[in-house]
Structure formats: structure tokens, C-alpha cells
Amino acid sequence: MKAFISVDLEGMPYIVAPSHLNLKGALYEEARKVATKITLVVADELHKGGFTEVLVADSHGPMVNLHVEDLPEYVELIRGFPRPLSMVAGVEGCAAAVFLGYHAKFGTAKSTFDHTYSGGSVRKLEVNDVEVSEFMLNAYVAGELGVPAIMVAGEAQLLKDDVEKWAPWAETVALKDSLSRVAARSPSMAKIEKQLRESVKKAVAKLEAKEAKPLIAKNPVNMRVTFLVSHFADVAALLPTARRVDALTVEYTAQSMNEAYKTFELLVLAASGVTALLTQQS
Ligand SMILES: [Zn+2]
């Protein structure tokens, strides 16, 4: 039995400064250590709970954040970006999905680094008319593949807004309570470790009792993407299946969540291309 863990950084405890989040940031090393510690605690408890394999998808920025030296034998790591299915690469065939270090969607008040998938290009993402966070986007893809989200640990507002509402069966651990977009309060790592271990035990018990359900988006899937700036929508509208809704928004219909996600990934990469092009020209 294999478990899947997707690891983001912005919802990790103590991570509050932009320099925590970038490869060249002065505090990046600290963020890597925190994320690795949390991931390995959860993987250890999943292993103790009966999972013989744990597949970890390193899922922030360039997706090479986790330290690789101390991985136990049962852990396999997916790192690097771009890649198909991005933050949920490898989830197919797993029995359960866990999301660590996840954060609230763009426009959430007092929530560290609130953004939806791409801080540089996306303002709002809607799946079948429901505004989603990264957690929901990824949980929908896992759900379509029959994999339930059994646990989410991250920023408190995400847990309140999205996890409790849309995936009430999932166990949650608040790793930080935000005071602003760049400030948060977190328990000690010792306390967090205890809470994570208890939470994994409960999540595995619920999975065994069949209380954890895959999160399902109805097919065909309508995806509506609102960008931060209209030139991203100008380029996204080149997609033959895209319809321009307004200056900042395009929408498209996909036959599955998998297809919807890959198309969204492509539109975000196109937006990055536009940014790079305009930066080059300036
Ligand atoms: Zn991230």
C-alpha cells in the first residue's frame, strides 16, 4: 500500500519572509529544513500505520526544496518542474493523499503568502463555478484517480475555508495562524510533531473505516482562470478551446480533471513565458 504526500512551503510553520521561498533566499535553508522535518515525521507515521511505500512530491517553486540525505528506504521522491500534473505528479495508484505546507487561496485576508498556484499570474481559479485553493485543485485530481485526501497540514485559514468545508473527512493540523500576509504564529516543532503523528493515526483509521472519500469534480469540468494582468489572458485566449470572459478571465471545458489541470498548467507556463519575454524587452 502506497501513500502520496504533496509538499508546499508557504503553509509550513515559521515560513513568513519572501527569502524563505526562493532558491537564493537568505532564509531558504531554514525553510528546507522545516519542510523536510515535517515531511519525514508524516512519512514515518504513515509507514508505522501500514503504508509500505510513501511517494513524496516536492511541490513548491522549482520543486527541489526537500533535503534528500535522510530519506528512509520506503520513501521515493519526485522533484523538479515543469512536470505533468505538477503538485500531484505520481498520485495515481496511491491509496491516500496527504497535503503538507498548503496555504489559502489568493485574496484571503491575514493569510501568509495567500495565492492560487501562481503568485505571479493567477488571481482566481474556479472549477465548476467554485473558487478553489491549490489544495482543492490538487485534491480534485487525486479524487478523480480514486485517491482520497486524508490529511492536510498548513495555514489555519485554508483549513477553515476549504478543507473543513469541502473535505470534512480529512484530518487537519494548523501549522501556523497568520497575523498578516508576512507574519504568523506557530507552535514549537515538538508540539507540531506530536500533533502530526496523532493526526496521521486518525487519518489512517478513517481511511480503513472507509470514512475518507475522494473529492470529485463533475465531468465535463469547467475551468475559469482570472489572471492578474490582461496580457496573460490575451495569450491564454490563443488556446482554441478557451473562451474570453472578460479582460482578465478565460474559461474552457475539459473532459476530465486531469485534462483541466494539465491545460491550466500550460496556461500558467504561458503566462511565465510572457513575463520572461516582457522582462527581456525592458
Ligand atoms: Zn508554494
Side-chain angles (χ1 to χ4, degrees):
M1 194 163 66
K2 183 161 62 170
F4 174 81
I5 307 179
S6 177
V7 186
D8 203 354
L9 278 194
E10 291 92 339
M12 285 291 173
Y14 326 119
I15 307 307
V16 293
S19 63
H20 275 122
L21 300 176
N22 305 306
L23 286 178
K24 291 179 185 157
L27 292 171
Y28 179 60
E29 189 52 35
E30 186 181 79
R32 300 184 76 186
K33 274 189 196 154
V34 168
T36 305
K37 165 82 182 166
I38 285 188
T39 304
L40 292 184
V41 163
V42 170
D44 180 55
E45 204 57 45
L46 286 165
H47 188 58
K48 285 180 182 156
F51 286 92
T52 50
E53 293 172 78
V54 179
L55 179 61
V56 176
D58 195 328
S59 295
H60 167 81
M63 304 189 177
V64 286
N65 308 291
L66 299 173
H67 285 297
V68 298
E69 299 84 12
D70 302 320
L71 298 183
E73 199 180 342
Y74 58 84
V75 168
E76 208 174 355
L77 180 63
I78 294 181
R79 57 190 334 219
F81 182 79
R83 66 189 187 211
L85 291 184
S86 185
M87 301 176 85
V88 276
V91 72
E92 66 279 358
C94 293
V98 173
F99 298 88
L100 302 177
Y102 271 59
H103 52 83
K105 55 188 173 285
F106 181 95
T108 304
K110 291 188 187 173
S111 188
T112 41
F113 302 113
D114 62 300
H115 70 281
T116 304
Y117 192 82
S118 164
S121 60
V122 176
R123 188 184 182 91
K124 195 202 271 190
L125 177 65
E126 292 159 280
V127 176
N128 292 340
D129 296 323
V130 173
E131 184 176 0
V132 299
S133 56
E134 286 169 39
F135 157 69
M136 283 175 67
L137 174 70
N138 291 320
Y140 274 138
V141 176
E144 183 174 82
L145 295 164
V147 185
I150 63 164
M151 177 178 160
V152 186
E155 202 274 332
Q157 201 58 45
L158 166 76
L159 306 180
K160 285 189 202 115
D161 289 349
D162 286 10
V163 185
E164 287 169 17
K165 185 172 177 188
W166 298 98
W169 54 82
E171 281 296 314
T172 58
V173 177
L175 300 175
K176 74 212 294 193
D177 271 295
S178 301
L179 306 174
S180 77
R181 192 165 197 270
V182 285
R185 176 176 177 154
S186 291
S188 65
M189 187 58 96
K191 184 156 185 197
I192 287 172
E193 176 167 352
K194 208 171 151 193
Q195 289 176 334
L196 288 170
R197 289 189 185 279
E198 281 166 11
S199 183
V200 173
K201 278 192 196 113
K202 285 186 199 159
V204 172
K206 279 189 192 169
L207 179 71
E208 283 166 356
K210 302 203 185 312
E211 286 169 32
K213 294 174 223 162
L215 187 69
I216 303 286
K218 212 173 146 208
N219 285 342
V221 180
N222 180 266
M223 290 282 272
R224 196 177 301 125
V225 189
T226 303
F227 292 96
L228 288 171
V229 188
S230 62
H231 56 223
F232 298 138
D234 293 336
V235 172
L238 296 174
L239 186 76
T241 52
R243 295 174 293 278
R244 188 77 175 256
V245 176
D246 60 30
L248 297 174
T249 310
V250 299
E251 65 175 1
Y252 58 92
T253 304
Q255 292 316 304
S256 65
M257 227 11 250
N258 189 298
E259 184 189 315
Y261 192 100
K262 285 180 179 166
T263 306
F264 173 63
E265 202 180 341
L266 190 66
L267 297 185
V268 171
L269 285 167
S272 304
V274 174
T275 301
L277 192 70
L278 296 178
T279 307
Q280 249 175 39
Q281 291 167 358
S282 63

